[in-house]
Amino acid sequence: MTENPILHVLVVGFHHKKGCQVEYAYPPFIEDTTGVSAECPAAWKHLPYLALPDGSHNFDEDTAYFHLPSQQDPNETIYGISCYRQIPLEKIINRTPDMTRSTIQKSVCVLSTLPLYGHIQVKMSLITHAYFEEGDFSKISLLHDTYHHLNACLSSIDNISTSPHLFVGLSAVELVTRFRHKVLLLFKLMLLESKVLFFYSPVRPLCSTILTLLSLHPGLIENGLNKSANVNLNSAIQPSTENKREVIVSNINPETEDDDHSIVSQKSNEVVDEDIVPNSSFVSNIPRDPSIDSLDEAAMQYNMISIAQINSEDCGVPMSIFDNGNLCQPYSCLSYMDILTDPSVRGYVIGASNILFKQKKNLADVIVEIDEGKVEIENIELKRHLHLTTEDLRFADYLVRHVVQPEKEDVFLDGVGWEGGDEWIRAQFKAYLLSLLRTSLLSEGAPELNHFNPAFISAWQQTKNYQIWLNQEHQAIMALEPCHPFAGQLSVADMRLRISHTMQSSRSGRKLNQAVQNTSRAVASTGKVVGGAISQARGAVTNWWSSLTTTQDLEDQKNTPVIQDV
């Protein structure tokens, strides 16, 4: 059981002269004669601005999730869940002299030791509503009751990993629907420990998108965020001495690189110690079904289910992605930027709603525009690492087809949940990650490395999270066949997948796609003058283009939803 997982219940308000400030904390941060001191500890100086998001005045209500370093344990993170509301001044019964504006903006915030974001948010949303309906912010008994009630509910949780409340509000279905094949690119991006900025407003769907992506990595939310807010600021980064091997980055001819990074021509060179090369005497107890070579759908499903049912903890998972100066902040306020630019910070995954984050030079390696489902990668080397192979695109297409198809039988698969549902999606990514880990242990030159992009594997093997994994016990991973679960012979369908991916993801592809649409409209206009022949030709070209760049007409079957509560 977890004793008192809720540390504090806070009220954060906007003062017209002082800016964002903690107005009340229960229990108080620092005991004094009144017992209600709300002065923030030094390590939590950004708390008021994290709890009351930038641009919140544009919305009547919103929610922010954020991380703070623990004051007691450097290996622990404190999880902030803040519910913001804005109401007209005339609804306030008990007004104070500092209420000088026509609207009042405040947040009711909880600091928790458990990452049960959505579960706590549902409760806090109701409490915040009741607190504002009172019209009298001096009535703090509700905050006291909230503190004791939440602790009574959450302290009974023995194992957060098995809690049914873990992924409340984190919809993997909506994430795949919005980003489609690019959800796999984002999944692999997390492993590279780069500087990644997610941008959207309001804040709640921004935070939920990031956390949903993290939830695709098995065990990461429940056991992998303990150090996601902890960093020794202004400390020099020392070279790692824990490596078991030296990794040499390959020299890939940049002339093969288009902005869609669709070609990777050479394998990466790596030096692999004998002690991590699979033992030839180790017999795999999960053989790969040979019918997968024909890309049979039933065989794919069988293989993925078999892999997903392996205990990931026995395979050294979750990966230690957020550690050693790699941060995770689902929502980042403007004042938090001084932490992000500290030399001790190697990388991060952050969410922001302030345009200044996008305008800050060299702040991010990757910018993810959530409203457009767009992933912008300016670094050519990183583009090369994130190239999706044919096998990757098959996996991504497999996900999208099962998630977006509106008319399909409801099939419950033992151990992985409803086919196409949230649990099923997370099971597929678990199987993908375990297969990737197993294949990464192959020696240089193994053809199976090509299926996951050898440039990606080479870059990943240099990261802290891979080095930590390599030095941990993960013998159970050897039960897997070292290969991509979607390996098989090339087909015409693969060509269509590649073209579709290129047209949707690359700058040149998007321009060409727009040019085709513009030309189509021009031809339609001209056809009215010169007769029906050109219209018929236009129809033929349009049909050909549509069939070539789309594996399925999914958009007509189901519109991509606007993210509300991902």
Side-chain angles (χ1 to χ4, degrees):
M1 296 179 64
T2 304
E3 184 177 356
N4 288 343
I6 301 300
L7 301 181
H8 301 278
V9 177
L10 319 170
V11 176
V12 178
F14 180 80
H15 191 277
H16 65 289
K17 292 183 178 179
K18 301 177 182 178
C20 298
Q21 61 179 7
V22 175
E23 298 178 343
Y24 184 77
Y26 182 81
F29 292 137
I30 303 171
E31 290 290 346
D32 61 8
T33 54
T34 64
V36 293
S37 173
E39 183 179 351
C40 286
W44 293 355
K45 66 178 183 178
H46 299 290
L47 191 161
Y49 298 93
L50 292 169
L52 204 60
D54 295 330
S56 57
H57 60 278
N58 295 318
F59 305 96
D60 290 335
E61 57 184 274
D62 203 355
T63 298
Y65 301 140
F66 57 89
H67 297 158
L68 296 171
S70 170
Q71 298 189 84
Q72 283 73 39
D73 188 345
N75 295 320
E76 293 296 331
T77 290
I78 305 303
Y79 306 95
I81 299 93
S82 179
C83 292
Y84 160 83
R85 285 207 68 190
Q86 176 177 233
I87 63 171
L89 179 63
E90 56 263 26
K91 290 189 176 182
I92 304 300
I93 299 173
N94 185 9
R95 302 182 188 181
T96 57
D98 61 342
M99 295 181 179
T100 60
R101 297 192 172 193
S102 59
T103 59
I104 303 301
Q105 302 158 11
K106 294 183 188 292
S107 290
V108 179
C109 177
V110 160
L111 300 184
S112 169
T113 60
L114 297 177
L116 295 174
Y117 306 92
H119 178 59
I120 295 176
Q121 187 276 335
V122 170
K123 296 178 179 294
M124 290 306 300
S125 179
L126 297 173
I127 291 166
T128 303
H129 179 78
Y131 184 59
F132 273 73
E133 284 298 307
E134 287 277 353
D136 185 355
F137 296 119
S138 66
K139 294 185 177 181
I140 56 177
S141 59
L142 179 61
L143 305 178
H144 296 192
D145 294 341
T146 298
Y147 171 81
H148 295 294
H149 172 72
L150 285 178
N151 273 318
C153 293
L154 301 180
S155 60
S156 61
I157 297 176
D158 293 322
N159 184 357
I160 189 174
S161 299
T162 59
S163 172
H165 309 304
L166 182 61
F167 298 133
V168 171
L170 306 183
S171 174
V173 168
E174 292 192 23
L175 186 72
V176 171
T177 302
R178 174 163 294 274
F179 287 99
R180 300 169 71 88
H181 63 273
K182 283 174 283 190
V183 72
L184 178 57
L185 184 150
L186 293 173
F187 179 85
K188 297 178 76 171
L189 174 62
M190 296 299 100
L191 294 170
L192 295 182
E193 301 178 359
S194 301
K195 296 180 178 180
V196 185
L197 168 65
F198 285 77
F199 188 81
Y200 193 75
S201 185
V203 170
R204 182 179 178 183
L206 166 71
C207 298
S208 297
T209 298
I210 294 174
L211 294 173
T212 303
L213 176 61
L214 299 187
S215 76
L216 301 183
H217 285 266
L220 188 57
I221 284 187
E222 52 268 48
N223 296 310
L225 297 177
N226 294 336
K227 299 180 182 179
S228 62
N230 296 315
V231 59
N232 295 321
L233 298 180
N234 300 318
S235 61
I237 301 176
Q238 299 297 325
S240 174
T241 58
E242 60 183 340
N243 299 1
K244 279 191 176 181
R245 64 180 176 179
E246 176 185 2
V247 182
I248 303 174
V249 183
S250 63
N251 294 318
I252 300 178
N253 184 359
E255 292 180 359
T256 63
E257 169 68 28
D258 185 32
D259 72 344
D260 62 324
H261 53 284
S262 60
I263 299 176
V264 176
S265 62
Q266 301 180 23
K267 298 176 184 176
S268 57
N269 300 314
E270 54 177 333
V271 179
V272 184
D273 285 347
E274 293 180 358
D275 62 335
I276 64 167
V277 176
N279 188 335
S280 60
S281 64
F282 194 98
V283 180
S284 170
N285 58 23
I286 302 184
R288 182 165 175 265
D289 190 331
S291 64
I292 196 73
D293 292 331
S294 61
L295 297 180
D296 178 75
E297 186 86 357
M300 287 182 189
Q301 186 74 276
Y302 171 79
N303 287 332
M304 296 296 282
I305 291 175
S306 299
I307 300 171
Q309 291 179 339
I310 295 178
N311 187 329
S312 57
E313 292 184 3
D314 294 339
C315 299
V317 172
M319 303 299 292
S320 301
I321 296 175
F322 299 108
D323 196 354
N324 297 289
N326 190 41
L327 306 180
C328 177
Q329 190 62 278
Y331 170 70
S332 298
C333 58
L334 200 57
S335 65
Y336 197 79
M337 200 178 289
D338 62 347
I339 292 180
L340 300 178
T341 54
D342 190 274
S344 61
V345 175
R346 300 183 298 108
Y348 40 75
V349 174
I350 60 171
S353 59
N354 193 314
I355 191 68
L356 295 177
F357 276 87
K358 292 204 305 182
Q359 295 173 347
K360 176 73 172 177
K361 189 176 181 181
N362 299 324
L363 184 69
D365 301 319
V366 179
I367 298 178
V368 182
E369 299 275 5
I370 295 177
D371 59 340
E372 301 176 25
K374 186 168 62 174
V375 182
E376 298 179 353
I377 310 172
E378 295 299 329
N379 184 281
I380 294 178
E381 191 71 11
L382 185 57
K383 282 184 178 182
R384 189 178 295 117
H385 297 159
L386 292 172
H387 161 75
L388 296 182
T389 65
T390 296
E391 291 78 13
D392 281 345
L393 289 178
R394 289 172 184 163
F395 171 67
D397 184 62
Y398 172 79
L399 285 174
V400 172
R401 284 190 288 107
H402 282 75
V403 170
V404 182
Q405 281 180 343
E407 296 180 4
K408 64 176 187 292
E409 279 188 49
D410 283 335
V411 178
F412 185 83
L413 302 170
D414 188 30
V416 296
W418 293 104
E419 185 176 11
D422 289 340
E423 189 179 355
W424 179 88
I425 293 171
R426 293 186 176 101
Q428 308 312 301
F429 277 99
K430 173 185 174 180
Y432 180 92
L433 177 62
L434 296 183
S435 298
L436 173 60
L437 284 165
R438 176 64 182 91
T439 306
S440 73
L441 295 175
L442 295 178
S443 57
E444 178 188 355
E448 291 83 359
L449 296 174
N450 295 329
H451 298 161
F452 289 101
N453 181 0
F456 166 80
I457 291 180
S458 178
W460 179 36
Q461 287 170 337
Q462 298 174 74
T463 63
K464 293 286 186 180
N465 73 82
Y466 188 86
Q467 294 166 10
I468 291 172
W469 177 80
L470 201 59
N471 285 275
Q472 291 178 339
E473 180 61 37
H474 52 257
Q475 185 65 11
I477 200 77
M478 304 305 292
L480 289 174
E481 191 75 15
C483 63
H484 198 298
F486 283 76
Q489 299 298 318
L490 287 172
S491 67
V492 174
D494 293 323
M495 296 174 61
R496 294 170 63 180
L497 274 175
R498 172 60 61 194
I499 294 174
S500 177
H501 171 56
T502 300
M503 301 310 297
Q504 295 175 29
S505 301
S506 69
R507 188 176 294 107
S508 58
R510 288 192 294 267
K511 288 180 179 178
L512 181 56
N513 200 16
Q514 185 62 49
V516 169
Q517 296 176 13
N518 293 340
T519 301
S520 180
R521 286 192 290 267
V523 170
S525 177
T526 305
K528 296 178 182 179
V529 179
V530 301
I534 293 182
S535 294
Q536 293 177 6
R538 175 181 58 81
V541 171
T542 301
N543 290 337
W544 170 81
W545 183 261
S546 177
S547 65
L548 189 63
T549 60
T550 310
T551 57
Q552 279 186 294
D553 192 8
L554 297 176
E555 294 301 328
D556 289 339
Q557 295 177 14
K558 182 176 182 179
N559 292 327
T560 302
V562 175
I563 295 184
Q564 295 296 332
D565 300 324
V566 179

